Amino acid sequence: MRFAVNYSVPLENLILAGTLKPDLIKCPEWGNILHFGLSLGSCYVHNEIALGTHTLQHLDFEKIKKFLQLTQTPHLNCHLSGSFPNYCNTPAQRRQQMDLWMRDIELLRRKIPGWPIICENLPAMPTRTFWRVSLYPDLLSEFMKESETGLLLDLSHARISCMNYGMDYQTYIAALPVERLSELHITGVKLYGAYPEDHFEMQNEDWAPTIWAAQQIHHGEWHTPRMVAFEYGGVGDIFSWRTQGKYLQEQVPRLMEIFA
């Protein structure tokens, strides 16, 4: 189990200064960022592939393969997005959604053979009607088992789903295939606008769920993932404004100790 941190300029500065040394640097599928990440040490690539969105045929599969090989990323990640707005989980719709996801998985396996595929849970949010599938962890679990894919558990996404719809996050996660856990994402969560948002620094209330997740791994309740990633901040207009070196310096060592 290796500990990763999102690439950011503040992280790069801390690594170059010898202040921080994560096991891995998690990078988006951008060639220039991968260049910087590899210059700092070991890194891996995280793709923005979304199953069920009728967009996979437009992917640059050769570039995806190139970046996976360049970084020796051990698996190909994707996100489980819905194909219907305001998914309601009727038996017929459930089967149709499963079939659409399976079609995309089969395409990925044809185009990028040889890499295990892992699926990430997205946050269920009233403003994202196509992500309503995340209200049904048993649906996500059934698909991952049927498709023989691994679980990328985003702890913050699970918690946000539960915050938005009044569910218990531990019960929610127990319905996911934690025996297939391959990667774990953790972040801080803050209210941003009217809804909880992730990719922030850890808040006081974020530590208890994070420690609980680490205990599930250490006690063998969950499969031990290949990597645990602190997805704090990053690059680009969406993430760079919420990335500060002081929080990386304070929180990364504590998180590495929790998951050691």
Side-chain angles (χ1 to χ4, degrees):
M1 184 167 63
R2 305 171 77 186
F3 191 85
V5 182
N6 269 9
Y7 174 85
S8 65
V9 173
L11 176 68
E12 178 177 344
N13 292 337
L14 289 167
I15 291 174
L16 290 175
T19 305
L20 287 181
K21 191 176 181 181
D23 301 320
L24 288 167
I25 301 166
K26 176 177 165 287
C27 297
E29 71 279 41
W30 303 354
N32 59 333
I33 300 302
L34 288 173
H35 170 78
F36 290 127
L38 287 167
S39 72
L40 296 170
S42 297
C43 69
Y44 75 103
V45 62
H46 182 79
N47 294 281
E48 292 299 323
I49 299 170
L51 303 190
T53 56
H54 309 289
T55 58
L56 266 65
Q57 67 271 22
H58 303 300
L59 295 176
D60 186 339
F61 293 105
E62 289 305 313
K63 185 179 81 170
I64 293 171
K65 284 194 289 187
K66 175 185 174 182
F67 289 166
L68 289 171
Q69 292 166 345
L70 180 66
T71 58
Q72 299 182 334
T73 300
H75 47 228
L76 173 64
N77 74 286
C78 58
H79 303 76
L80 291 179
S81 180
S83 305
F84 314 97
N86 296 313
Y87 174 86
C88 54
N89 206 35
T90 62
Q93 194 178 47
R94 185 183 181 101
R95 187 65 257 171
Q96 190 175 1
Q97 182 63 75
M98 293 267 289
D99 290 344
L100 289 168
W101 283 341
M102 190 66 75
R103 177 204 62 186
D104 283 346
I105 286 290
E106 290 170 354
L107 176 62
L108 288 176
R109 285 180 169 146
R110 286 198 310 270
K111 296 291 188 178
I112 310 177
W115 264 271
I117 299 175
I118 63 174
C119 299
E120 179 175 354
N121 58 299
L122 289 169
M125 302 177 67
T127 55
R128 299 274 190 148
T129 59
F130 283 91
W131 292 2
R132 190 175 171 83
V133 289
S134 293
L135 285 177
Y136 305 97
D138 61 314
L139 168 68
L140 310 186
S141 181
E142 182 181 354
F143 172 71
M144 282 182 253
K145 291 175 182 177
E146 186 171 313
S147 62
E148 297 184 340
T149 51
L151 169 64
L152 194 171
L153 171 58
D154 191 305
L155 179 62
S156 296
H157 288 177
R159 292 174 57 216
I160 288 169
S161 296
C162 294
M163 290 175 190
N164 284 330
Y165 291 94
M167 299 181 288
D168 175 71
Y169 76 89
Q170 294 186 7
T171 303
Y172 178 99
I173 292 172
L176 293 171
V178 291
E179 72 280 2
R180 294 176 173 269
L181 182 62
S182 294
E183 184 172 344
L184 176 67
H185 289 176
I186 51 177
T187 74
V189 176
K190 280 185 179 180
L191 278 179
Y192 183 69
Y195 298 103
E197 180 68 51
D198 57 351
H199 296 282
F200 286 101
E201 72 276 7
M202 298 286 285
Q203 308 297 302
N204 288 336
E205 58 269 25
D206 298 320
W207 291 103
T210 301
I211 292 168
W212 170 79
Q215 290 172 339
Q216 302 312 296
I217 296 168
H218 293 323
H219 296 163
E221 299 295 329
W222 299 354
H223 186 261
T224 300
R226 292 187 182 96
M227 61 269 285
V228 175
F230 183 35
E231 289 195 297
Y232 170 55
V235 291
D237 293 341
I238 297 175
F239 299 121
S240 59
W241 62 270
R242 48 182 145 177
T243 313
Q244 297 184 44
K246 66 177 182 178
Y247 293 120
L248 289 165
Q249 194 168 354
E250 292 169 3
Q251 297 181 352
V252 169
R254 182 177 176 187
L255 288 164
M256 292 183 72
E257 183 178 354
I258 288 170
F259 286 96

